[in-house]
């Protein structure tokens, strides 16, 4: 591999030397055959509370045997099994986990990203310590102090707790289905778009200020994605370890700035809506990293729409009136239920109010659009496709499964800006007056046929 993948521990050290404060004290262990020794070490530390394993019931194993059973026997500790291979990260499941943990413990979570999200919230609410055992390279969220929960039917990112230790054993990760590890490559491929949208929002004064130091090492490693994808398909230990390191670096960036902005833009909002719709339909969702890859192809085309509009139009920016905005949210999410409509309206109305109060800042951004675009590192759709094709990542709705089609993609793209409070490139298209059914459908058609 010619492109260096940053070591997350080295990233933290460099940030400390650079003057960053309030960085997490998290112990990141990555390598082959490290699981048992890492767990034994943390359990042997003085003052460590009694351990308990929390699992989603997945069949996780290495050459030494089933991981959960082996650890439970060695530690003589109970196992809280929340599922039979999968779990849903909703308040009901979190409350069950909190009730079963009951008091301050050493939580050892063994499971996928959703299980880890539940464990991080449970650790926070019970005052527990936490060791996150990564079972696949599927997402970048194993390490971040953020968790994605389903609240009132809507995907929401909440503050949770940094793990005390992250264990990414490539022997265990290599036993995961190759598609799950490839999904982690997909999750990383979206970072340039997410960072560009972070720069857009920060340039307007919305959300956390842009901090290049926390994302530059991850951005610099983007050329390594095809090689990491090959390692995921081949279950090659050294390559999987590098993939785990890069995912951890991306996860660190979110926690350090106190927002998912360094790794989550329009493409993640689209993916959240796809998952919400699939849950409503009782259909299985494709891996998160696969969904966001397809959604990034849409987001990059929204940037092109904004570029064309800014270059050719003198249209005055506008914010739709409150009644029209509320109607739009109700129309978009009505089939998901009234609680979801109210949850989304609460978030979107805060953004709408902020935009009304800062319309002059948006106008100033549009006036200097050419200069702003020179500050961002954003691939064209064609450049993104080159990486996707070289990595074997999905590009179209049909690649995600039989229950996905261009109508579902259209619905998710058209309404992604109504889901949450974060400002996105779709919000700017809406303010410019060019975000409509026709433009969203045109973008989906171009992406599906391109």
């Amino acid at each position: 591999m010619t492109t260096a993948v940053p070591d997350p521990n080295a990233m933290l050290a460099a940030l400390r030397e650079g003057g960053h404060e309030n960085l997490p004290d998290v112990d990141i262990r990555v390598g082959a055959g490290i699981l048992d020794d890492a767990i034994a070490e943390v359990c042997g530390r003085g003052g460590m509370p009694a351990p308990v394993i929390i699992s989603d019931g997945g069949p996780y194993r290495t050459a030494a045997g089933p991981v959960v059973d082996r650890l439970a026997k060695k530690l003589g500790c109970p196992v809280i099994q929340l599922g039979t291979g999968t779990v849903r990260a909703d308040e009901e499941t979190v409350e069950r986990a909190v009730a079963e943990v009951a008091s301050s413990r050493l939580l050892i979570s063994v499971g996928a990203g959703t299980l880890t999200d539940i464990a991080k919230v449970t650790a926070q609410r019970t005052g527990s310590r936490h060791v996150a055992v990564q079972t696949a390279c599927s997402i970048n969220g194993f390490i971040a102090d953020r968790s994605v929960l389903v609240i009132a039917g809507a995907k929401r990112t909440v503050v949770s707790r940094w793990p005390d230790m992250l264990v990414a054993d490539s022997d265990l990760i290599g036993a995961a289905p190759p598609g799950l590890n490839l999904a982690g490559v997909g999750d990383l491929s979206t970072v340039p778009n997410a960072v560009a949208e972070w720069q857009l929002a920060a340039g307007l004064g919305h959300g956390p200020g842009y901090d290049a130091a926390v994302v530059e090492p991850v951005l610099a490693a983007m050329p390594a994605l095809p090689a990491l994808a090959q390692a995921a398909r081949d279950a090659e230990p050294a390559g999987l370890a590098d993939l785990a390191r890069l995912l951890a670096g991306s996860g660190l960036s979110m926690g350090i700035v106190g927002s998912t902005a360094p790794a989550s833009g329009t493409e993640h909002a689209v993916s959240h809506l796809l998952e919400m719709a699939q849950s409503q339909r009782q259909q299985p969702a494709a891996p998160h990293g696969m969904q966001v890859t397809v959604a990034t192809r849409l987001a990059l085309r929204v940037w092109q729409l904004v570029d064309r509009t800014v270059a050719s139009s003198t249209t005055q920016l506008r914010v739709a009136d409150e009644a029209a905005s509320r109607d739009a949210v109700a129309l978009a999410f009505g089939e998901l239920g009234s609680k979801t409509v109210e949850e989304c309206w609460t978030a979107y109305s805060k953004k709408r109010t902020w935009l009304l109060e800062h319309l002059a800042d948006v106008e100033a951004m549009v006036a200097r659009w050419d200069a702003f675009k020179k500050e961002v590192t954003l691939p064209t759709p064609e450049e993104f496709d080159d990486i996707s094709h070289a990595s074997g990542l999905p590009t179209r709705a049909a690649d995600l499964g039989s229950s996905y089609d261009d109508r579902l993609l259209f619905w998710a793209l058209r309404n992604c800006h109504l889901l949450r409070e974060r400002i996105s490139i779709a919000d700017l298209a809406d303010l410019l007056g060019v975000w409509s059914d026709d433009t969203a459908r045109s973008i989906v058609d171009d992406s599906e046929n391109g």
Side-chain angles (χ1 to χ4, degrees):
M1 187 178 301
T2 57
T3 301
V5 170
D7 179 84
N9 293 302
M11 284 178 59
L12 283 172
L15 290 170
R16 287 191 182 94
E17 292 178 3
H20 281 71
E21 299 178 351
N22 301 317
L23 294 176
D25 185 17
V26 57
D27 187 355
I28 304 168
R29 306 288 181 93
V30 181
I34 63 171
L35 175 59
D36 290 53
D37 287 346
I39 297 297
E41 179 187 328
V42 73
C43 288
R45 293 174 182 173
M48 193 63 67
V52 58
I53 297 172
I54 185 169
S55 171
D56 54 18
Y60 307 114
R61 61 186 303 119
T62 65
V67 170
V68 171
D69 291 346
R70 188 174 81 241
L71 291 178
K73 184 176 181 180
K74 281 188 175 182
L75 301 176
C77 71
V79 176
I80 299 172
Q81 185 172 315
L82 298 178
T84 56
T86 60
V87 291
R88 179 175 166 85
D90 53 19
E91 280 293 326
E92 181 181 355
T93 306
V94 170
E95 288 171 6
R96 176 189 162 194
V98 169
E100 294 201 32
V101 172
S103 61
S104 177
R105 303 289 292 272
L106 170 62
L107 299 188
I108 301 172
S109 62
V110 182
T114 300
L115 184 279
T116 307
D117 277 345
I118 294 168
K120 289 188 291 185
V121 176
T122 302
Q124 181 194 48
R125 295 187 184 179
T126 59
S128 294
R129 310 292 290 273
H130 180 207
V131 176
V133 178
Q134 184 170 329
T135 57
C137 281
S138 51
I139 60 168
N140 61 3
F142 283 97
I143 195 172
D145 64 339
R146 296 290 185 276
S147 292
V148 177
L149 301 183
V150 178
I151 299 175
K155 288 272 188 173
R156 290 288 178 251
T157 301
V158 301
V159 176
S160 54
R161 184 186 188 280
W162 289 103
D164 295 273
M165 178 183 285
L166 173 70
V167 182
D169 188 325
S170 56
D171 290 347
L172 174 57
I173 292 168
L180 276 182
N181 291 328
L182 186 61
V185 179
D187 205 11
L188 288 166
S189 74
T190 71
V191 168
N193 181 73
V195 170
E197 292 197 13
W198 178 22
Q199 289 175 274
L200 171 64
L204 296 174
H206 188 268
Y210 180 63
D211 187 346
V214 303
V215 290
E216 283 178 343
V218 178
L219 287 173
M222 290 296 101
L225 293 188
L228 295 176
Q230 189 62 51
R233 286 190 290 271
D234 295 343
E236 192 273 310
L240 287 176
D242 274 342
L243 179 55
R245 292 185 183 97
L246 191 55
L247 287 165
S250 180
L252 284 173
S253 70
M254 295 188 290
I256 290 168
V257 304
S259 167
T260 60
S264 171
T266 289
E267 76 294 328
H268 274 65
V270 169
S271 177
H272 290 334
L273 289 182
L274 292 175
E275 291 170 14
M276 289 160 60
Q278 292 294 77
S279 177
Q280 177 72 10
R281 298 173 174 184
Q282 297 185 327
Q283 294 284 347
H288 165 80
M290 301 304 192
Q291 289 189 155
V292 293
T293 304
V294 172
T296 299
R297 301 181 77 239
L298 305 177
L300 294 173
R301 286 166 168 81
V302 182
W303 282 93
Q304 291 184 325
L305 170 66
V306 169
D307 288 342
R308 292 193 301 269
T309 304
V310 171
S312 63
S313 175
T314 57
T315 303
Q316 186 174 2
L317 296 172
R318 61 166 184 82
V319 177
D321 64 52
E322 183 172 350
S325 296
R326 180 178 272 278
D327 287 346
V329 173
L331 179 63
F333 307 125
E335 292 188 5
L336 300 179
S338 59
K339 290 184 178 180
T340 303
V341 170
E342 286 305 309
E343 171 67 25
C344 293
W345 170 247
T346 297
Y348 181 71
S349 63
K350 292 178 182 177
K351 176 166 60 177
R352 179 186 167 277
T353 298
W354 190 93
L355 288 169
L356 278 170
E357 295 172 350
H358 295 83
L359 206 54
D361 296 317
V362 183
E363 290 171 346
M365 170 68 75
V366 171
R368 62 176 294 269
W369 188 250
D370 288 344
F372 166 74
K373 284 299 295 293
K374 292 178 181 177
E375 298 169 2
V376 304
T377 304
L378 192 68
T380 66
E382 294 76 19
E383 290 169 339
F384 182 80
D385 282 352
D386 286 344
I387 293 177
S388 295
H389 291 316
S391 302
L393 295 169
T395 56
R396 293 170 176 80
D399 298 333
L400 299 176
S402 60
S403 60
Y404 290 81
D405 56 32
D406 56 355
R407 291 173 297 177
L408 183 59
L409 281 187
F410 161 74
W411 170 80
L413 176 66
R414 177 68 177 92
N415 299 302
C416 64
H417 64 301
L418 303 175
L419 175 65
R420 60 188 186 180
E421 191 175 347
R422 291 260 302 281
I423 287 176
S424 70
I425 190 62
D427 285 300
L428 186 53
D430 192 43
L431 291 170
L432 289 166
V434 294
W435 196 235
S436 66
D437 287 358
D438 287 344
T439 53
R441 189 171 287 110
S442 175
I443 285 171
V444 170
D445 288 346
D446 181 65
S447 178
E448 286 289 284
N449 297 320

